[in-house]
Amino acid sequence: MKYIIFILFSLNCFSQENSKPQFLFDENDQSITQDQFNNKLKDKKLEIITYQVDTAYIGRFLRKDDFGVLSPSEKVKIQIELEKLTGKKIDTSKTIIINFFYKDNPEPNGSCIDYYVNDKAYKKFLDKNNTINQFFITQKDYKYKDKQVYQDTNDLIRKTLFKYHFNCGNYIIIKTNGKFYRKLGEYKQNEIPQNLNRIE
């Protein structure tokens, strides 16, 4: 799949009469050569995204899953925004889990969000675990039918945590100390409880 995306990206870049420049970046936001880019296509832990800005075509690798730390101000900003979106006070002694969804095409088998929001095993896990603040959030202008799914009306959650568009779900686990584990793209809901323990 990565190779197909790259071929389409290349064709798009070079088929223009006045072609825009092409810039390639690795998973650490460092500029890379075409050869380095081609080698990274083989890495199954990386996902390539391609997009166009006003002045250039961009090819960028991202880790499908990564660990990091939110600054205290970022963590507070996320907490305040979640409280605004949901109208609920957040217990800061609990771990935050955000499942974030970009709008997708529901045809022919329904939207990915349908499965994640209605997963009975995951609901049971949450019912038994009172140390988690769970949130299902959709991108701005994507209103989902379930009242327990909230729209990122100020686009702050996306800009801070899920900057690049990945279909079929994304999630982040944020511990009280700001350390996080993030998964981009389609995932298995039952991996979330396991990944809670991967953050030190």
Side-chain angles (χ1 to χ4, degrees):
M1 182 65 176
K2 283 198 282 188
Y3 291 100
I4 294 170
I5 292 172
F6 177 63
I7 290 166
L8 292 173
F9 175 60
S10 299
L11 289 173
N12 193 27
C13 288
F14 298 114
S15 65
Q16 306 297 322
E17 219 170 89
N18 297 318
S19 183
K20 296 178 182 180
Q22 173 183 327
F23 295 101
L24 307 172
F25 297 93
D26 69 8
E27 66 278 17
N28 299 309
D29 282 336
Q30 300 297 311
S31 180
I32 56 176
T33 66
Q34 185 72 57
D35 286 343
Q36 291 171 315
F37 189 87
N38 292 343
N39 286 334
K40 284 186 176 291
L41 287 171
K42 302 167 190 170
D43 190 335
K44 293 183 180 179
K45 293 181 180 178
L46 299 176
E47 192 69 40
I48 180 178
I49 61 166
T50 59
Y51 54 96
Q52 181 180 174
V53 294
D54 288 343
T55 57
Y57 292 100
I58 308 294
R60 183 183 301 275
F61 283 99
L62 297 171
R63 291 182 183 92
K64 290 181 183 178
D65 59 347
D66 70 326
F67 295 88
V69 183
L70 295 178
S71 68
S73 62
E74 285 176 320
K75 187 169 184 290
V76 168
K77 184 168 68 170
I78 293 297
Q79 289 171 342
I80 290 171
E81 189 65 15
L82 288 171
E83 289 180 346
K84 285 179 184 175
L85 296 178
T86 65
K88 298 175 184 176
K89 185 72 177 169
I90 290 179
D91 183 342
T92 56
S93 68
K94 295 183 178 183
T95 296
I96 292 173
I97 299 176
I98 301 172
N99 298 68
F100 188 87
F101 303 93
Y102 286 92
K103 189 170 186 177
D104 64 0
N105 183 357
E107 303 297 335
N109 299 317
S111 295
C112 290
I113 189 173
D114 297 333
Y115 166 75
Y116 292 119
V117 170
N118 297 301
D119 187 305
K120 290 180 182 177
Y122 188 66
K123 285 181 178 179
K124 284 182 183 177
F125 162 74
L126 292 174
D127 289 341
K128 292 178 181 177
N129 195 324
N130 64 358
T131 62
I132 294 172
N133 291 304
Q134 167 67 50
F135 301 95
F136 293 101
I137 306 290
T138 59
Q139 74 176 103
K140 184 178 180 179
D141 298 324
Y142 176 22
K143 184 169 182 172
Y144 186 69
K145 58 191 175 185
D146 191 315
K147 291 181 180 179
Q148 297 304 308
V149 178
Y150 303 92
Q151 188 183 146
D152 185 19
T153 51
N154 296 315
D155 205 26
L156 187 142
I157 304 295
R158 183 196 65 80
K159 285 181 178 176
T160 308
L161 303 175
F162 303 100
K163 185 176 177 182
Y164 299 107
H165 188 127
F166 277 80
N167 283 327
C168 220
N170 309 265
Y171 73 87
I172 189 167
I173 301 168
I174 306 171
K175 294 286 192 173
T176 56
N177 59 7
K179 290 185 178 181
F180 68 79
Y181 169 80
R182 175 172 44 208
K183 177 76 171 186
L184 301 176
E186 189 173 0
Y187 59 91
K188 294 179 181 176
Q189 191 84 315
N190 62 7
E191 75 184 27
I192 294 178
Q194 299 166 11
N195 285 330
L196 278 166
N197 300 320
R198 295 182 65 191
I199 310 169
E200 296 176 0

